[in-house]
């Protein structure tokens, strides 16, 4: 039986318990609500496609956030991992829009004959790698858990401690490591939430403020 194959671990030393982790996760969601107010009040309250994109991204982040918290609370890695990968998609797209605000045009219409073409998630990841050098490896790991690969294959099987070759099986969702895995998921929620918050703030500062911030 292979070693555990969950996505790369994040810093879980900040958490005292699963309850503490979820409290910290909720604090990030509170900041997302404040972020929406920042976007609404930018650009003299004139709504543009760019500000609409940012507000839609915040709404999607909230939805993914709530669903992932439920997956953590119900010990459901089959839901938590795909949801976190979707959150990663969102953050990567927001990072790309931060540097290429015209890309919002490609997101407003799904027809194939539109002038602006959407890029694949792989090309978006390549484009933002300089800001997030480990994103491709992490995304690949999350994809392995989203599709039916080795993570899904072994998620229901756990080696029984103090035995040789004995495993347990569960037909219901559960963590392979109930102490570590929910903290890893919570850690990803926090890191992705903070990344989105920073990206939205930078985008507002660069394009929607009275005095645009200098880009570095």
């Amino acid at each position: 039986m292979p070693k555990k194959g969950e996505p790369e671990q994040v810093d879980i030393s900040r958490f005292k318990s699963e309850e503490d982790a979820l409290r910290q996760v909720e604090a990030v969601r509170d900041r997302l609500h404040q972020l929406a107010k920042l976007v609404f009040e930018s650009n003299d309250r004139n709504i543009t496609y760019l500000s609409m994109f940012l507000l839609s991204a915040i709404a999607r982040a909230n939805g993914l956030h709530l669903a992932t918290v439920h997956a953590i609370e119900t010990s459901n890695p089959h839901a938590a991992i795909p949801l976190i990968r979707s959150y990663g998609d969102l953050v990567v797209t927001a990072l790309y829009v931060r540097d290429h605000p015209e890309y919002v045009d490609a997101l407003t219409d799904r027809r194939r004959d539109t002038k602006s073409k959407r890029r694949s998630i792989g090309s978006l990841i390549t484009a933002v790698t300089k800001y997030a050098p480990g994103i491709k490896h992490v995304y690949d790991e999350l994809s392995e858990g989203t599709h039916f690969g080795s993570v899904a294959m072994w998620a229901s099987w756990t080696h029984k401690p103090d035995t040789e070759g004995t495993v347990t099986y569960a037909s219901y969702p559960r963590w392979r490591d109930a102490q570590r895995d929910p903290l890893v998921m919570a850690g990803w929620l926090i890191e992705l939430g903070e990344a989105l918050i920073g990206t939205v703030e930078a985008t507002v500062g660069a394009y929607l403020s009275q005095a645009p911030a200098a880009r570095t």
Side-chain angles (χ1 to χ4, degrees):
M1 189 171 182
K3 295 180 180 180
K4 297 173 183 177
E6 291 82 359
E8 183 175 298
Q9 192 171 155
V10 293
D11 178 20
I12 61 175
S13 63
R14 72 182 93 177
F15 304 133
K16 298 177 182 177
S17 63
E18 182 176 331
E19 292 72 22
D20 177 52
L22 291 177
R23 279 194 295 270
Q24 293 188 42
V25 164
E26 187 60 23
V28 173
R29 196 167 79 88
D30 288 342
R31 291 173 60 196
L32 287 172
H33 287 302
Q34 294 300 315
L35 194 63
K37 182 179 179 181
L38 171 70
V39 177
F40 266 119
E41 293 181 348
S42 66
N43 199 37
D44 287 334
R45 294 179 176 268
N46 293 314
I47 298 297
T48 65
Y49 272 158
L50 179 57
S51 55
M52 290 175 74
F53 164 77
L54 296 175
L55 291 167
S56 296
I58 292 168
R60 185 170 178 83
N62 267 306
L64 292 169
H65 182 110
L66 288 170
T68 307
V69 167
H70 182 265
I72 293 172
E73 292 175 335
T74 54
S75 304
N76 190 350
H78 301 285
I81 293 174
L83 286 165
I84 289 173
R85 192 187 79 150
S86 292
Y87 209 150
D89 286 349
L90 176 62
V91 171
V92 167
T93 303
L95 275 169
Y96 188 78
V97 167
R98 183 191 67 181
D99 285 352
H100 306 275
E102 70 281 359
Y103 186 65
V104 171
D105 291 341
L107 303 174
T108 61
D109 198 329
R110 62 187 298 177
R111 291 176 299 176
R112 293 184 178 180
D113 59 348
T114 54
K115 188 176 298 184
S116 300
K117 302 299 182 183
R118 295 186 195 178
R119 302 186 62 172
S120 68
I121 186 63
S123 66
L124 293 178
I125 288 173
T126 299
V128 304
T129 297
K130 58 184 176 182
Y131 307 115
I135 189 67
K136 185 180 186 307
H137 172 70
V138 170
Y139 191 85
D140 287 346
E141 290 296 308
L142 290 168
S143 295
E144 181 72 10
T146 298
H147 305 298
F148 202 98
S150 61
V151 174
M153 174 68 186
W154 298 110
S156 300
W157 300 89
T158 305
H159 179 260
K160 191 173 183 180
D162 303 320
T163 67
E164 185 174 342
T166 302
V167 297
T168 62
Y169 166 77
S171 61
Y172 53 87
R174 65 175 180 179
W175 305 116
R176 292 190 67 199
D177 186 333
Q179 300 301 312
R180 166 188 167 274
D181 293 350
L183 303 186
V184 172
M185 298 299 117
W188 273 118
L189 263 185
I190 290 172
E191 291 203 5
L192 289 168
E194 290 178 341
L196 182 66
I197 290 168
T199 301
V200 171
E201 289 175 340
T203 304
V204 170
Y207 306 109
L208 299 174
S209 296
Q210 291 286 350
R215 304 305 305 281
T216 58

